[in-house]
Amino acid sequence: MSKKRPRAQPNVDTQLVELYDDLANENEGIRIKAAEAFSIKFSLANNKSSQQISEALRRLIRGLCSSRYAARLGFSVALTEFLSQHWGIPCSTTGNLQVSQLIDVLVKQTEVTGKVAGQEERDHHIGRVFGARAFIQSGILLQDDVPANTWDRILDVIYEAAKNKPWLREMCGGILYEAAQMISEADRDPRFIRNLINKLVFFGLAKTPEGVAIWLKVQKHFPKVELPTGVWRDENPIHKKEKSELAKIMKETSIAERSDGENPEILQKGSWTPKLHFAWNVILAELNREIPAEGRKEKSKTVRFRDFWEVAVDEHLFASTSSVERRYWGFLLFQQWFGSASRTLLPALFSPRFVRCLTNQLASKERYLHLAAEKTVKSIMSRADLEPSVASIALRGLLANTSNQNLSFDILTKTKTVERLMVLGDDSSLRHFVPELCDKLVRPGINDEKDATARRQITIDQLTLLLKSRQSSVKQDPHSSDSLGLTCHILEVLATYSYFSMEKSHPNLADCPVPPMSERTQQTLRSRLSTCLSFLLTRNSNPAFFASYVVDVILRHEANERMHSILELTGTLGETIPNARTFLESIHNQALSESRDKSTLHAFDLLYSLTMLQLYNGDPDAVSILEELRSCYDLLVEPRQTADQVGPEVFVEILLSFVSKPSQLFRRLAQQVFTTFTPIVQHDGLRSMIKVLETEENLSGQDEMFEDDTMRSMDSSSDDDSAVGEVDMTNSNEVPSLSDADEDLQASSERDNGQIQSDDVDEEVAVLEAKLSHTLEAGESTDEDMNDEQMEALDETIASIFKERKKVVSKKKQKMDAKETIVNFKCRVLELLDIFIKQRHKEQLALDLLVPLLTVTRTTTSKIVSVKACNVMRSFSKLCKGQAVPRVEDQDATIRLLKEVHAEAMQKAHANACSQASLLLVKVLVANGKESLDDIFDIYSKTQRSLLDPRCGVKPSFFIDWVNWCNSAKSARQTLQDTPSVTVRVGTGEGKQSWTIQKKLLTYHSTFFAAALNGEFNEAITSTVELDEDDPQAFQLFVQWLYTGRFVVVSLRDAGCVPNFLCVVWALGDKLNCPAFQDHALLQLMALYKETHLKSDVLVNAYKLTPTGSKLHQYVVDEFLFQIKWGSSEEESGDLLTPGSWNIDRLDLGDFNRDALTRMVETRGRLRAPSEYGGRYLPAARLGSP
């Protein structure tokens, strides 16, 4: 039996096999590394044999025919480098192959032989094109020693593929376009370009997108090359007269004549692709040039960008008959060109058909191109974000070309595109956009009054939105000249057409509305003007600026003979407006000239200006309010002895009248002004607001609150800001009349209480319906036996029943409206009380609000009122912590208040609110002295004993909160006792005294002690501080203040020495750097001089104890000047200084003389009481006097 001879193993280069595998890898990095390794392996230095080189060439070309796209890319890179290495050297014949023979190898290896599948045939054609690309990119064909026909042969390979296989045409065109670029950069012989362009015409591909791109490339970079004639006019594809032909070509339905003169054939792609043809960018690069300045004619014969876009894109891609695929191309073109085209070309992109298509596709998510339309909007926003000036161009394009002019773009598309563009734009460019909107307002372009009203409504909303967006923009300064100019321009337009009509004898003037403004349009204008002023109220350091500007515009127009006011200025009105104008001018002059705090003047300016607007709006109460404001101004701004007695109360009543109006503007106005005047509000003013909270939420309560029946229709939902529809503003900070949570609470309240409110009415309706049913049944049963008279009687009976039913239903509506009116009024008053508490929570006066807040929480039928009252209570409780606890003079009154709160807690409701109020009062009593602890425990004990009474509604949580507070107080006390202590020695000799005080307490209140005890000083080591130069009794007051937040001076010194001693105390606080302690001392000094006059020794001490320019200096100067103006003329008694007896010279105080003179110049002799300048002397404490 013979043995089999073993088969010889082939010699396989495994490394080379791995390289071929890596060249086809999907990872680009791996492919690049494999191409580098392949290049090194077959470098000339490795001396590969001719057979190896030929085999490698064959293998690389075969790899191009792979069905994998990654393999084509990898083998193409390797082949390009391989050809450059071995045939890129002049006269190189590596492997006995000439360059011309390489093309034969390419054609042979990519030739389709036999019967193969369609995909395989396709892969071979693609491989041939990729190989031709590698040949061109390697540069071997452009060598001088390479025969000329070699370049022609590779061109033939590419052009034949493009001609015979339309689906390869774009790829082939891209290769030839890159070849032209490479020849240009390499500065090769023009014959290469000449052959390239001639063969383009020969193969009939000149009038294709690829042919246009190649032609433009050659025309631009090879101006000396003679181009074929007879193809394009003046050999220019983008000639003005070739725009229609060019549009058809770019639509890819171009027609080219056969070379033999036969019938034309359509040269289209094989299939549609979602990718834009590269030729579009080539054309854009040629057309992307600045438009000549206006008045200059363009001499170039090249088609204008606007004309090309209109014909090639707007008419072909966005036409109503265009396919979805072509519209998609249109959106891609817009996105690409909007991001790269110059600013002067951008308006042309917003063509009518494009805007219509964009609007339709954005309107619904079900549209095929909805996502493409959204990307288009994003591209607009992206460039507008980078170039704010582009936003105005986009706004003009979108608004001017909206198909339905009766609806805005944002409404049609359900987006906020226009709103966001207004936010992104810059003030300088948008300021020029306002006149265009004004032109649309004046001349809407239609004569039908109804359609004109609808279009003007859109324009008014756009003006309002523009104003809001500019004030809300984070990129622009709202106080810049451009921003203010834009805002004032919009306000002027709104005010002009709100209150005036133009002279009819001049209808041709540009500002004369055609057709005339309808009453509805003017109502909308007034509503939007109110909206804008409300929005601007809190966005300017001077809240009265814009309101005053609007009034100035109105007064200026009244003097214009062409303007006719819609308000008849007769009788009382004719007298009121001139007087009001004069008064406003005086306020403006004082605000400009006074160097003191202008907040009061601005508040009166705001009030007076908006009241005048109400006068022009036809409010019958505006005249009386103007008179009351004038009286309040005389009482509050001009110093009078009766100012504190009358002015604030009247002023609060006026603000309440504004709050009661169904207007967002007046709600904000009241809040803004009340914030300014809160420091002067006294008990009577609070009583007026508390009276509103005590009002019943029904018809009788409304009649009691509003004597005028016209106030019954107050409804927050009919706010004048939304009379014709509110302008939406998401990035705005505008606060609605009711928050979303409040609206939910209100709806819940109506569900809970609506049935109780209308039980009686429903019973009456049920009785009437039963009566009607009975009458109808009786009529049906006897219908045949009834005569005419009986039928008439039956009709009358039925009619009377319907009338009674209508009255009953109307009565029900009146009750619901009355409830809503009072509920809204109470909510707005609670907002004012919240402002009061935030500013004056440290005062005993604020404690008077606790019981009314608890009462309204319990008695209201509206959850929204109850929640708002609880929120005010919670805010009050949070504010009163540490040194912010109110200081009370009458402990007994506070004890009585605590008893009233506990009585409220027994009413089976609002347990949490009562617990907060009770604990707040406990904190107040404990902070003002521990002697009230027994009374506090007695009150809680008595309330706890009442739990056995079935009528008691106290919840267990009430006592749980009390126990928790006691534990917290105990822990805090223990913590304070466990902290390290510091010994402070004050004074010298026998009068020296020492105190042991917790270190944390000292360092918390005094930066002097913090620096001494927390650093590396000796005091920090020994825990002892020596104050030899200070008064022990003054320091004793400081210790008393540390632990109680207050101190009493009279018990330490004779009453006559108190003012001097308070100066010493203030100077100690200044040394210890404890502003709150200084404020407490100065407040007591200010209270003292309400009853007596300033003494010379006090003035001397104040100036000698404290440094120049101190707050104490400022106070004594103001006190002196005020007493000189308003004091008595009695002679000096003892050391008491009264007006007429002052002798400044004998005091030898040069600084005082200078300060007094400077202050007189600043105030122009109209100095008010020092207590009204609280913020001038009290940097750390509340405003006002104690």
Side-chain angles (χ1 to χ4, degrees):
M1 186 175 180
S2 61
K3 294 183 179 180
K4 289 185 178 182
R5 189 169 55 188
R7 185 176 298 176
Q9 297 295 327
N11 186 16
V12 179
D13 189 345
T14 56
Q15 182 184 7
L16 186 59
V17 173
E18 290 179 357
L19 287 178
Y20 286 138
D21 288 341
D22 289 344
L23 286 174
N25 197 288
E26 295 292 335
N27 189 307
E28 182 181 5
I30 295 177
R31 293 200 304 267
I32 297 298
K33 289 182 179 180
E36 292 176 354
F38 187 88
S39 176
I40 294 172
K41 186 175 182 65
F42 284 90
S43 63
L44 296 177
N46 288 331
N47 296 321
K48 295 292 183 180
S49 64
S50 301
Q51 182 179 0
Q52 289 176 320
I53 293 175
S54 299
E55 178 62 22
L57 175 64
R58 185 194 67 81
R59 182 67 183 86
L60 289 174
I61 294 175
R62 295 295 297 175
L64 296 176
C65 300
S66 172
S67 59
R68 291 185 295 170
Y69 182 70
R72 296 169 192 162
L73 295 177
F75 279 89
S76 176
V77 172
L79 177 60
T80 301
E81 186 63 25
F82 184 78
L83 293 172
S84 177
Q85 276 185 336
H86 294 278
W87 286 273
I89 303 174
C91 302
S92 175
T93 57
T94 303
N96 297 322
L97 289 175
Q98 300 289 339
V99 173
S100 58
Q101 294 175 314
L102 297 177
I103 299 177
D104 296 332
V105 176
L106 172 65
V107 173
K108 182 178 180 180
Q109 294 298 325
T110 56
E111 185 178 3
V112 179
T113 57
K115 196 172 184 179
V116 296
Q119 181 61 43
E120 186 176 350
E121 181 182 357
R122 184 183 181 92
D123 293 339
H124 278 73
H125 286 300
I126 295 175
R128 177 174 294 182
V129 173
F130 266 87
R133 179 184 181 185
F135 273 70
I136 293 175
Q137 289 181 343
S138 66
I140 63 175
L141 302 177
L142 303 179
Q143 298 178 93
D144 296 333
D145 60 334
V146 176
N149 65 338
T150 307
W151 173 250
D152 293 339
R153 288 189 62 193
I154 202 68
L155 290 179
D156 291 338
V157 169
I158 298 174
Y159 278 123
E160 285 176 359
K163 178 74 172 180
N164 299 328
K165 304 298 178 182
W167 45 272
L168 281 175
R169 197 177 69 208
E170 183 176 353
M171 183 188 301
C172 295
I175 294 172
L176 295 173
Y177 184 86
E178 292 174 357
Q181 177 69 27
M182 187 176 67
I183 294 173
S184 172
E185 294 174 354
D187 194 21
R188 294 298 183 182
D189 192 331
R191 66 182 175 84
F192 294 107
I193 286 296
R194 193 163 40 249
N195 294 346
L196 187 151
I197 198 70
N198 288 334
K199 285 187 177 292
L200 177 70
V201 177
F202 175 79
F203 281 93
L205 297 175
K207 291 193 174 182
T208 61
E210 299 79 15
V212 171
I214 295 171
W215 194 290
L216 291 174
K217 187 70 174 179
V218 172
Q219 187 182 50
K220 182 177 180 180
H221 289 88
F222 300 92
K224 295 182 180 181
V225 172
E226 185 177 353
L227 297 171
T229 59
V231 181
W232 301 101
R233 185 179 295 271
D234 295 340
E235 288 72 50
N236 185 9
I238 55 176
H239 193 278
K240 291 180 179 180
K241 296 184 179 181
E242 294 283 6
K243 62 181 180 181
S244 298
E245 183 73 10
L246 183 61
K248 293 178 182 178
I249 292 173
M250 297 311 297
K251 192 181 177 182
E252 302 196 15
T253 59
S254 49
I255 299 176
E257 295 291 331
R258 289 183 180 270
S259 59
D260 56 3
E262 296 179 3
N263 294 331
E265 61 175 334
I266 304 296
L267 295 177
Q268 288 183 306
K269 282 187 177 181
S271 61
W272 177 85
T273 61
K275 182 182 177 182
L276 277 178
H277 199 289
F278 74 91
W280 286 106
N281 288 334
V282 178
I283 296 174
L284 174 62
E286 292 297 318
L287 300 180
N288 190 13
R289 61 185 185 279
E290 296 293 332
I291 296 178
E294 187 175 355
R296 293 181 56 189
K297 293 185 179 180
E298 187 177 7
K299 297 182 180 180
S300 174
K301 295 182 180 180
T302 302
V303 64
R304 294 190 309 165
F305 178 83
R306 178 181 293 276
D307 296 335
F308 174 75
W309 176 270
E310 180 180 354
V311 175
V313 181
D314 200 46
E315 292 181 1
H316 283 79
L317 301 185
F318 289 115
S320 57
T321 57
S322 297
S323 64
V324 174
E325 292 81 5
R326 296 198 184 281
R327 293 181 187 182
Y328 179 78
W329 273 349
F331 282 133
L332 291 183
L333 278 173
F334 183 93
Q335 295 167 24
Q336 192 164 336
W337 288 13
F338 189 85
S340 57
S342 63
R343 286 186 66 256
T344 55
L345 302 181
L346 296 182
L349 297 178
F350 293 92
S351 51
R353 292 183 181 87
F354 161 73
V355 175
R356 182 194 62 195
C357 184
L358 179 66
T359 304
N360 293 337
Q361 298 300 327
L362 285 173
S364 173
K365 293 183 178 180
E366 303 300 324
R367 305 273 184 172
Y368 287 118
L369 300 178
H370 180 75
L371 292 178
E374 286 185 336
K375 289 183 178 179
T376 302
V377 172
K378 289 181 180 178
S379 68
I380 296 174
M381 296 301 171
S382 298
R383 181 156 185 184
D385 190 25
L386 296 174
E387 301 178 50
S389 59
V390 171
S392 60
I393 298 175
L395 283 173
R396 289 188 184 92
L398 293 176
L399 298 181
N401 296 303
T402 302
S403 57
N404 187 352
Q405 290 292 320
N406 292 343
L407 293 175
S408 68
F409 181 84
D410 283 357
I411 292 177
L412 289 171
T413 59
K414 302 173 185 176
T415 63
K416 295 186 181 297
T417 305
V418 172
E419 179 180 329
R420 290 163 59 196
L421 284 172
M422 289 180 176
V423 173
L424 292 174
D426 62 328
D427 293 322
S428 58
S429 60
L430 289 177
R431 189 174 180 180
H432 299 295
F433 178 62
V434 174
E436 299 177 18
L437 291 178
C438 296
D439 292 340
K440 293 176 64 177
L441 176 65
V442 176
R443 306 288 174 98
I446 192 169
N447 293 325
D448 182 72
E449 183 178 346
K450 183 177 180 181
D451 290 340
T453 299
R455 292 191 180 185
R456 282 170 171 162
Q457 166 82 35
I458 298 301
T459 304
I460 294 168
D461 286 346
Q462 289 169 352
L463 284 169
T464 306
L465 189 61
L466 180 58
L467 182 146
K468 288 186 173 183
S469 63
R470 301 318 307 142
Q471 291 292 321
S472 302
S473 176
V474 297
K475 290 190 173 183
Q476 301 293 327
D477 180 10
H479 305 301
S480 65
S481 58
D482 286 331
S483 180
L484 289 176
L486 185 146
T487 301
C488 291
H489 191 176
I490 295 175
L491 291 177
E492 182 172 359
V493 171
L494 296 178
T496 300
Y497 296 104
S498 292
Y499 300 105
F500 295 92
S501 59
M502 301 299 172
E503 178 61 56
K504 296 182 180 179
S505 60
H506 299 83
N508 295 327
L509 293 177
D511 58 351
C512 185
V514 177
M517 297 282 183
S518 64
E519 183 179 350
R520 177 177 173 82
T521 300
Q522 288 185 322
Q523 180 185 358
T524 304
L525 284 164
R526 291 192 291 271
S527 172
R528 294 299 178 265
L529 180 61
S530 176
T531 299
C532 292
L533 291 176
S534 176
F535 182 81
L536 294 169
L537 202 57
T538 57
R539 286 172 170 78
N540 196 287
S541 56
N542 177 9
F545 175 80
F546 293 110
S548 178
Y549 176 79
V550 170
V551 174
D552 289 341
V553 169
I554 295 174
L555 296 177
R556 188 171 66 250
H557 286 336
E558 283 185 346
N560 190 340
E561 296 180 354
R562 291 185 52 248
M563 301 286 188
H564 294 277
S565 174
I566 62 175
L567 179 68
E568 295 294 334
L569 303 179
T570 59
T572 307
L573 291 179
E575 299 175 358
T576 301
I577 291 181
N579 295 334
R581 180 189 308 172
T582 304
F583 181 62
L584 268 180
E585 290 177 355
S586 67
I587 294 179
H588 294 165
N589 293 334
Q590 289 192 50
L592 292 174
S593 60
E594 292 285 347
S595 59
R596 58 185 170 87
D597 184 15
K598 298 182 179 62
S599 59
T600 302
L601 290 173
H602 289 165
F604 270 104
D605 190 1
L606 176 62
L607 276 172
Y608 218 78
S609 298
L610 292 181
T611 306
M612 287 191 67
L613 283 182
Q614 283 300 98
L615 183 65
Y616 281 96
N617 288 334
D619 188 346
D621 297 332
V623 176
S624 60
I625 293 177
L626 287 174
E627 295 175 354
E628 292 175 353
L629 282 175
R630 180 62 181 270
S631 301
C632 288
Y633 179 84
D634 294 337
L635 292 171
L636 295 176
V637 177
E638 296 297 334
R640 296 289 187 273
Q641 291 181 346
T642 59
D644 293 336
Q645 301 173 4
V646 181
E649 289 69 36
V650 177
F651 197 76
V652 170
E653 292 290 346
I654 294 175
L655 290 181
L656 289 178
S657 69
F658 282 118
V659 167
S660 66
K661 295 181 182 297
S663 169
Q664 183 79 289
L665 172 61
F666 284 97
R667 170 177 173 261
R668 289 192 171 184
L669 163 69
Q671 293 178 359
Q672 186 79 28
V673 176
F674 188 77
T675 301
T676 301
F677 287 96
T678 294
I680 65 172
V681 175
Q682 301 301 327
H683 183 272
D684 291 339
L686 288 183
R687 186 64 244 172
S688 299
M689 291 189 280
I690 292 172
K691 183 180 177 181
V692 176
L693 300 180
E694 295 173 347
T695 305
E696 296 181 1
E697 297 165 3
N698 50 33
L699 276 174
S700 61
Q702 180 178 255
D703 293 338
E704 177 186 352
M705 185 59 59
F706 309 110
E707 296 179 0
D708 188 357
D709 291 337
T710 59
M711 293 298 298
R712 291 189 178 187
S713 61
M714 175 181 170
D715 184 358
S716 64
S717 63
S718 64
D719 196 331
D720 64 355
D721 290 347
S722 57
V724 193
E726 182 60 274
V727 178
D728 191 10
M729 187 68 188
T730 304
N731 291 320
S732 79
N733 297 323
E734 184 165 359
V735 182
S737 58
L738 297 176
S739 65
D740 294 339
D742 292 343
E743 289 176 356
D744 295 340
L745 289 169
Q746 188 177 35
S748 175
S749 175
E750 290 173 357
R751 290 193 299 269
D752 295 342
N753 302 300
Q755 186 64 36
I756 299 174
Q757 289 279 333
S758 58
D759 281 346
D760 297 338
V761 178
D762 291 342
E763 289 179 4
E764 295 180 21
V765 173
V767 171
L768 290 174
E769 289 181 349
K771 186 177 180 180
L772 177 62
S773 177
H774 177 72
T775 303
L776 292 175
E777 290 175 359
E780 291 177 358
S781 61
T782 60
D783 187 24
E784 298 178 357
D785 301 331
M786 293 177 66
N787 55 31
D788 293 343
E789 294 180 356
Q790 291 174 330
M791 289 292 290
E792 290 179 0
L794 178 62
D795 289 343
E796 292 178 358
T797 303
I798 293 174
S800 63
I801 293 174
F802 274 110
K803 288 181 180 179
E804 293 178 13
R805 188 178 186 278
K806 186 176 181 180
K807 291 180 180 179
V808 172
V809 174
S810 177
K811 183 178 179 181
K812 178 180 180 180
K813 187 177 184 302
Q814 288 180 2
K815 288 186 176 181
M816 297 301 294
D817 290 344
K819 176 185 175 182
E820 192 168 0
T821 297
I822 300 300
V823 165
N824 279 279
F825 197 8
K826 287 184 176 181
C827 288
R828 296 185 177 187
V829 170
L830 286 169
E831 291 170 356
L832 297 183
L833 291 178
D834 189 47
I835 295 173
F836 178 87
I837 286 175
K838 286 179 180 178
Q839 289 196 32
R840 301 184 58 181
H841 57 277
K842 296 182 180 180
E843 301 181 27
Q844 185 170 1
L845 182 62
L847 297 177
D848 294 340
L849 294 174
L850 292 177
V851 174
L853 288 173
L854 294 177
T855 302
V856 71
T857 303
R858 172 174 55 85
T859 59
T860 183
T861 59
S862 171
K863 283 188 177 180
I864 185 173
V865 175
S866 177
V867 170
K868 277 186 173 290
C870 289
N871 288 339
V872 175
M873 180 70 69
R874 186 178 299 110
S875 176
F876 194 180
S877 180
K878 288 182 178 179
L879 289 170
C880 296
K881 294 181 179 179
Q883 295 298 320
V885 174
R887 305 304 170 194
V888 297
E889 301 295 336
D890 189 352
Q891 296 272 16
D892 294 336
T894 310
I895 292 294
R896 290 193 297 270
L897 197 58
L898 180 60
K899 292 179 179 179
E900 293 180 30
V901 170
H902 279 246
E904 275 289 330
M906 298 182 185
Q907 300 297 323
K908 297 184 179 180
H910 59 298
N912 291 334
C914 290
S915 178
Q916 288 178 350
S918 178
L919 293 178
L920 173 58
L921 291 172
V922 169
K923 287 192 291 185
V924 171
L925 290 169
V926 172
N928 286 273
K930 304 293 191 299
E931 58 273 9
S932 301
L933 281 175
D934 291 339
D935 294 328
I936 295 172
F937 281 103
D938 289 343
I939 293 172
Y940 267 96
S941 177
K942 183 178 179 181
T943 303
Q944 190 172 11
R945 286 196 297 269
S946 65
L947 285 174
L948 298 176
D949 189 346
R951 294 171 298 178
C952 178
V954 179
K955 302 293 179 64
S957 60
F958 186 84
F959 299 101
I960 294 174
D961 293 341
W962 161 245
V963 173
N964 290 338
W965 183 88
C966 291
N967 288 331
S968 298
K970 177 182 176 182
S971 300
R973 184 185 182 95
Q974 185 63 40
T975 301
L976 188 61
Q977 291 176 351
D978 293 340
T979 57
S981 298
V982 176
T983 300
V984 182
R985 299 190 181 97
V986 184
T988 57
E990 296 180 357
K992 189 171 187 177
Q993 298 182 29
S994 63
W995 288 266
T996 301
I997 308 171
Q998 280 73 24
K999 178 180 177 181
K1000 284 188 177 180
L1001 196 60
L1002 280 173
T1003 56
Y1004 176 79
H1005 290 285
S1006 169
T1007 57
F1008 171 85
F1009 283 112
L1013 298 173
N1014 292 330
E1016 298 180 356
F1017 296 104
N1018 186 53
E1019 287 83 354
I1021 300 173
T1022 62
S1023 296
T1024 303
V1025 179
E1026 300 285 348
L1027 300 176
D1028 298 336
E1029 299 178 355
D1030 295 303
D1031 189 335
Q1033 293 191 5
F1035 192 83
Q1036 182 176 342
L1037 294 187
F1038 177 70
V1039 174
Q1040 184 180 348
W1041 176 84
L1042 281 177
Y1043 286 97
T1044 66
R1046 59 195 297 269
F1047 59 77
V1048 180
V1049 182
V1050 178
S1051 62
L1052 298 175
R1053 291 290 183 106
D1054 180 70
C1057 301
V1058 169
N1060 277 321
F1061 185 61
L1062 285 174
C1063 292
V1064 175
V1065 172
W1066 193 95
L1068 175 64
D1070 186 59
K1071 176 179 179 178
L1072 301 180
N1073 199 3
C1074 185
F1077 179 63
Q1078 293 175 267
D1079 292 346
H1080 190 72
L1082 191 53
L1083 284 171
Q1084 294 206 24
L1085 190 62
M1086 292 168 67
L1088 184 65
Y1089 284 124
K1090 278 191 173 183
E1091 308 296 335
T1092 183
H1093 292 286
L1094 186 65
K1095 296 182 180 180
S1096 60
D1097 59 339
V1098 176
L1099 190 149
V1100 173
N1101 284 335
Y1103 264 78
K1104 289 185 176 180
L1105 290 172
T1106 58
T1108 302
S1110 68
K1111 299 295 182 181
L1112 187 59
H1113 284 194
Q1114 296 175 13
Y1115 167 69
V1116 294
V1117 168
D1118 283 0
E1119 190 68 55
F1120 162 73
L1121 294 176
F1122 182 74
Q1123 292 186 15
I1124 286 293
K1125 184 174 182 180
W1126 299 107
S1128 64
S1129 58
E1130 298 176 359
E1131 295 296 326
E1132 182 176 359
S1133 175
D1135 199 29
L1136 180 67
L1137 293 178
T1138 57
S1141 64
W1142 279 93
N1143 185 357
I1144 301 177
D1145 293 335
R1146 71 180 175 86
L1147 298 176
D1148 192 21
L1149 294 174
D1151 289 342
F1152 171 77
N1153 296 340
R1154 181 199 61 212
D1155 294 343
L1157 183 59
T1158 301
R1159 187 61 171 159
M1160 290 176 66
V1161 173
E1162 287 178 352
T1163 60
R1164 296 182 181 273
R1166 291 192 290 268
L1167 188 74
R1168 294 179 291 171
S1171 59
E1172 298 185 33
Y1173 294 99
R1176 177 175 164 86
Y1177 328 118
L1178 311 174
R1182 62 184 181 278
L1183 299 181
S1185 57

